């Protein structure tokens, strides 16, 4: 199968390209990083790139939390305008299969239960609470502590920042494309992806990259809040394998199907920092109590649908993955 991989020169995209090749497919990289004319917002460039293509694996995006609201137009342009241009060109060219790099950020805060009120949905945390070190969201009804759980794909969406909003809009656009063309779309909602080739720390990078970059400078990783934020860290090779599985499965035509893509084993951000520091042989992490507005407290995946329907399962365990990541270089080093 000939697969156009947008963002194919990026962190996850380059692993997808490798995995496709290993399975005997023919990946075609389309990435502005390696070719300034390969912009998903450019109808002509996308049309040319789609020639002879059977499926599109859409990884290209502007990622991370950014530097502030001033980044909003660029996020919307790259992520949503880019997706719309790509889908329009696919409709024109008759390419009927799309796998989208989705994200767990569409859910907002994860799933919580209150002992008295059952499943509840706490709103964004207030500056007052965060500044006072009250990091755990409370029950919106009675104010007591909540128990975090695993989010499934039918959890309500609640994007909490510009990036999250654009990732959700990508899914809505892909669903509209599938309905109107009869094509099939899959959104793999990645959780926190880490592994070799992760970009160095920038405002657009993920937390494991901040820790790994600090260690590379000989500094202690700085852990925000109290380090108790729960995440699902999933290895980039497992994410690449999920893309191959989704590209080669027979998903529903005329609709978008979403799959959580996580390891299934939650870890805290503090645990990631400590494990990386030990594996790297660097200084112990420092827990700073700092916070970023727009971050959620806990978000962990129930990825059983991906396992059941696409026969995927994660192969790289946390300890092995972290050891490898500590030894591997970051992109931009
Ligand atoms: N890294 C994670 O933990 C994570 C989690 C959830 C979702 N995702 C999604 O996975 C995808 C890949 O992310 P990544 O972590 O590999 O980031 P990355 O920045 O390494 O890769 C993105 C690639 O897209 C390219 N790109 C950006 N704008 C483009 C444009 N207009 N035209 C063509 N190419 C363009 C960039 O040059 C880059 O190589 C993104 O869609 C991201 O939203 C990543
Ligand atoms: Zn309650």
């Amino acid at each position: 199968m000939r697969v156009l991989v947008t963002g194919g020169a990026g962190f996850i995209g380059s692993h997808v390209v490798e995995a496709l090749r290993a399975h005997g497919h023919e990946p075609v990289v389309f990435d502005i990083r390696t070719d300034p004319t390969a912009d998903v917002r450019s109808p002509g460039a996308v049309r040319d790139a789609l020639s002879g293509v059977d499926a599109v694996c859409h990884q290209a995006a502007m990622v991370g939390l950014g530097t502030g609201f001033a980044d909003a137009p660029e996020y919307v342009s790259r992520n949503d305008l880019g997706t719309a241009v790509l889908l329009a060109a696919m409709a024109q060219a008759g390419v009927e299969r799309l796998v989208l790099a989705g994200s767990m950020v569409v859910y907002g805060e994860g799933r919580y239960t209150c002992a008295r009120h059952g499943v509840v949905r706490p709103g964004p945390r207030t500056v007052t609470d965060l500044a006072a070190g009250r990091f755990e969201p409370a029950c919106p009804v009675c104010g007591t502590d909540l128990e975090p759980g695993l989010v499934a794909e039918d959890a309500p969406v609640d994007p909490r920042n510009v990036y999250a909003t654009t990732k959700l809009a990508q899914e809505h656009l892909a669903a509209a494309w599938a309905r109107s063309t009869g094509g099939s779309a899959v959104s793999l909602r990645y959780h926190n992806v880490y592994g070799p080739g992760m970009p160095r720390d920038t405002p657009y990078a993920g937390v494991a990259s901040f820790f790994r970059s600090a260690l590379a400078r000989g500094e202690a990783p700085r852990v925000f809040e109290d380090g108790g934020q729960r995440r699902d860290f999933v290895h980039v090779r497992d994410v690449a394998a999920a893309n191959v599985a989704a590209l080669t499965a027979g998903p529903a035509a005329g609709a978008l199907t979403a799959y959580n893509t996580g390891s299934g084993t939650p870890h805290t951000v503090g645990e990631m920092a400590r494990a990386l520091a030990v594996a790297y042989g660097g200084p112990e992490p420092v827990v700073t109590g700092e916070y970023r507005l727009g971050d959620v407290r806990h978000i962990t995946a129930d990825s059983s649908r991906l396992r059941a329907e696409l026969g995927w399962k994660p192969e790289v365990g946390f300890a092995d993955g972290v050891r490898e990541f500590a030894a591997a270089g970051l992109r931009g080093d």
Side-chain angles (χ1 to χ4, degrees):
M1 189 160 59
R2 186 173 161 96
V3 182
L4 186 71
V5 185
T6 72
F11 166 45
I12 297 168
S14 55
H15 286 271
V16 171
V17 165
E18 212 173 294
L20 282 167
R21 275 204 195 105
H23 283 80
H25 299 292
E26 187 193 346
V28 179
V29 172
F30 187 86
D31 195 312
I32 203 170
R33 181 190 307 280
T34 41
D35 174 1
T37 67
D39 189 325
V40 284
R41 293 165 293 186
S42 160
V46 174
R47 188 192 54 227
D48 293 349
L50 283 174
S51 159
V53 156
D54 304 297
V56 172
C57 183
H58 184 31
Q59 305 290 321
M62 179 169 171
V63 303
L65 210 48
T67 54
F69 199 80
D71 284 341
E74 190 62 18
Y75 274 107
V76 172
S77 169
R78 286 188 188 236
N79 300 0
D80 297 339
L81 174 61
T83 299
V85 169
L86 174 68
L87 292 169
M90 288 172 69
Q92 198 91 52
V95 178
E96 291 185 330
R97 190 173 272 246
L98 173 78
V99 174
L100 171 70
S103 175
M104 51 84 180
V105 292
V106 300
Y107 298 117
E109 277 290 349
R111 182 189 164 90
Y112 294 90
T113 38
C114 167
R116 280 172 60 203
H117 298 102
V119 175
V120 291
R121 300 184 57 207
R125 298 174 294 169
T126 65
V127 176
T128 318
D129 279 344
L130 290 165
R134 285 188 296 272
F135 300 123
E136 289 292 338
C139 173
V141 186
C142 67
T144 58
D145 289 353
L146 298 170
E147 192 63 44
L150 304 179
V151 274
E153 290 83 357
D154 59 357
V157 290
D158 185 7
R160 295 281 173 93
N161 55 49
V162 171
Y163 168 66
T165 304
T166 64
K167 293 307 288 182
L168 181 57
Q170 287 188 314
E171 288 193 357
H172 289 318
L173 286 166
W177 165 84
R179 271 195 304 279
S180 122
T181 63
S184 77
V186 166
S187 176
L188 296 173
R189 291 177 174 165
Y190 309 157
H191 280 244
N192 289 59
V193 188
Y194 75 101
M198 200 174 183
R200 256 187 319 113
D201 54 345
T202 67
Y204 309 99
V207 68
S209 156
F210 290 127
F211 297 157
R212 180 62 182 74
S213 300
L215 289 163
R217 291 191 301 266
E219 296 166 12
R222 294 171 64 78
V223 179
F224 285 6
E225 303 188 14
D226 59 2
Q229 309 89 298
R230 287 153 66 88
R231 294 290 185 273
D232 186 321
F233 293 99
V234 59
H235 195 274
V236 68
R237 281 197 300 276
D238 286 331
V239 170
N243 276 276
V244 175
L247 282 160
T248 49
L256 175 127
T257 315
Y259 294 100
N260 284 339
T261 307
S263 70
T265 314
H267 287 276
T268 66
V269 167
E271 280 166 6
M272 171 52 101
R274 279 191 298 278
L276 259 180
V278 169
Y280 189 82
E284 248 178 67
V286 182
V287 177
T288 69
E290 290 162 273
Y291 59 87
R292 303 191 306 182
L293 283 178
D295 274 344
V296 295
R297 177 65 180 173
H298 305 295
I299 175 80
T300 51
D302 177 348
S303 302
S304 49
R305 182 177 193 177
L306 181 56
R307 291 170 184 239
E309 293 182 13
L310 298 187
W312 169 89
K313 69 176 171 39
E315 304 284 352
V316 187
F318 184 73
D320 288 346
V322 168
R323 255 195 308 276
E324 181 201 32
F325 181 47
L330 293 162
R331 188 177 77 209
D333 274 356

